[in-house]
Amino acid sequence: MTEEAGSKTLWHLHPLRVRYQENDGMGVVFYGNYVNWFEIGRTEIVRALGMSYASIEKQGMLLPVIDLDCKYVSPARYDDCVLVCTTIEDFSPIRMSFRSEVRLIEEGEVFPTFWQRAEPPGKLLVKGGTRHVWVNRDWKPSRLDKAIPELYELLQSAATGALPVPKERF
């Protein structure tokens, strides 16, 4: 990705504090929790763009994960403040992928919900992503642009680096 392309990356930032139960016997965050945090990031970016996952499912569309990757760079520990950073990496009417990063931040640091820079703030701990396919209630691939055109437009805008202004909350 060129710096120019990267500067248009629209990141959603969701702060979390590491809870005691999220740590393993070595005193670091158990590796599986990062996948849960990726899920939180996906849910919250879609909500921040104007539609909840619950609303999407009520309208008959599902977005199952078909692939996951995760690279661990540095551990988080109990009581650390982290940002779950999520961006839409690829997007089409049938498929989409999210890029996710978990980053360590200092206690008390505050960031906007959306961050438009090549790299999100904080120290990189984990990076990865998920790939998805849109399906209907019968688990048949379905075109989002036909099923929920308003959501398609919101996601398409965010995928190209533009912060959409939701017309209404769904």
Side-chain angles (χ1 to χ4, degrees):
M1 180 183 309
T2 67
E3 184 59 34
E4 185 177 316
S7 66
K8 294 187 182 275
T9 301
L10 183 65
W11 292 94
H12 178 267
L13 308 180
H14 185 77
L16 293 174
R17 183 179 294 274
V18 177
R19 298 172 299 175
Y20 186 78
Q21 75 232 32
E22 293 170 319
N23 289 266
D24 63 17
M26 296 179 283
V28 299
V29 170
F30 176 68
Y31 68 91
N33 285 310
Y34 293 101
V35 176
N36 289 331
W37 294 350
F38 286 6
E39 169 98 21
I40 290 168
R42 291 191 308 270
T43 301
E44 294 305 322
I45 190 174
V46 172
R47 183 187 319 280
L49 291 171
M51 188 177 286
S52 71
Y53 262 81
S55 174
I56 294 166
E57 290 179 357
K58 283 179 188 169
Q59 295 180 64
M61 294 294 282
L62 305 170
L63 190 60
V65 173
I66 59 171
D67 190 32
L68 162 75
D69 68 86
C70 193
K71 178 177 172 79
Y72 303 94
V73 177
S74 186
R77 292 177 165 73
Y78 170 63
D79 211 34
D80 280 348
C81 296
V82 297
L83 281 178
V84 178
C85 308
T86 310
T87 190
I88 299 170
E89 190 168 47
D90 290 310
F91 180 73
S92 78
I94 299 285
R95 296 181 184 269
M96 69 183 304
S97 63
F98 295 91
R99 185 163 35 123
S100 302
E101 295 186 2
V102 177
R103 292 179 161 264
L104 181 67
I105 58 171
E106 295 294 323
E107 175 95 28
E109 280 188 288
V110 178
F111 297 96
T113 301
F114 286 100
W115 180 270
Q116 195 158 21
R117 300 206 177 112
E119 186 174 301
K123 176 188 171 192
L124 179 64
L125 302 176
V126 173
K127 62 181 177 178
T130 55
R131 276 143 303 285
H132 307 257
V133 63
W134 289 103
V135 298
N136 61 25
R137 286 190 180 112
D138 296 323
W139 285 80
K140 303 288 184 206
S142 187
R143 292 181 61 99
L144 181 63
D145 58 338
K146 305 292 184 204
I148 313 175
E150 315 83 41
L151 177 60
Y152 179 81
E153 290 175 20
L154 288 171
L155 294 173
Q156 186 176 44
S157 294
T160 60
L163 180 58
V165 179
K167 295 177 186 154
E168 59 185 83
R169 298 299 266 186
F170 297 92

